[in-house]
């Protein structure tokens, strides 16, 4: 088979690669504009918001990198699902904080919250389509 041809039996890895792009971009933004992310960390969490910003940025970069590699894709997709669930409180906080700031801000806040649903379902899809681990 010519290396440019796609193996029809190979699972489509597009969901994993899309998620990798989202996570690598988001993880980079955690370090490029940390104040934004600090501002959506729920105040009820113990410790400084910047710690949560850094940890979630590192997690996003690590998971995104893992999704980019065939060998680690299955595990990374499962981690991505857990990560997207774990950041839901921050997305709720963003929606609550932006609600009173006007129609555009409220819409963005709500969209960020509901954006988690396709991210979670896409991570499940990526996990199912990832190559099986070799033993």
């Amino acid at each position: 088979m010519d290396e440019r041809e796609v193996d029809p039996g190979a699972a489509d890895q597009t969901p994993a690669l899309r998620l990798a792009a989202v996570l690598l971009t988001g993880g980079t933004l955690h370090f490029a504009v940390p104040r934004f992310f600090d501002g959506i960390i729920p105040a009820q969490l113990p410790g400084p918001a910047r710690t949560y910003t850094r940890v979630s940025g590192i997690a996003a970069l690590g998971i995104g990198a893992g999704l980019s590699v065939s060998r680690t894709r299955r595990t990374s997709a499962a981690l991505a699902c857990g990560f997207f669930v774990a950041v839901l409180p921050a997305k709720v906080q963003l929606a609550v904080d932006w609600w009173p700031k006007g129609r555009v801000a409220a819409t963005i806040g709500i969209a960020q919250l509901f954006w988690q649903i396709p991210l979670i379902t896409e991570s499940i899809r990526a996990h199912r389509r990832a190559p099986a681990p070799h033993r």
Side-chain angles (χ1 to χ4, degrees), residues 73-86:
R73 191 164 291 147
R74 180 178 291 275
T75 300
S76 297
L79 290 171
C81 186
F83 178 77
F84 294 132
V85 170

Side-chain angles (χ1 to χ4, degrees), residues 26 52 61 80 126:
Y52 292 96
L61 290 169

Side-chain angles (χ1 to χ4, degrees), residues 43-131:
Q44 300 82 357
L45 292 174
R50 183 61 54 95
T51 300
Y52 292 96
T53 296
R54 288 179 178 148
V55 169
S56 62
I58 290 167
L61 290 169
I63 296 167
L67 285 164
S68 302
V69 178
S70 178
R71 186 175 193 170
T72 57
R73 191 164 291 147
R74 180 178 291 275
T75 300
S76 297
L79 290 171
C81 186
F83 178 77
F84 294 132
V85 170
V87 299
L88 270 171
K91 301 299 183 174
V92 170
Q93 188 66 53
L94 184 141
V96 167
D97 290 347
W98 287 19
W99 185 259
K101 293 182 179 183
R103 192 179 325 195
V104 173
T107 301
I108 293 169
I110 296 296
Q112 279 289 311
L113 176 59
F114 286 101
W115 170 241
Q116 294 308 107
I117 296 167
L119 290 174
I120 291 167
T121 58
E122 193 79 341
S123 63
I124 293 167
R125 188 174 297 115
H127 183 266
R128 288 180 180 157
R129 293 182 181 180

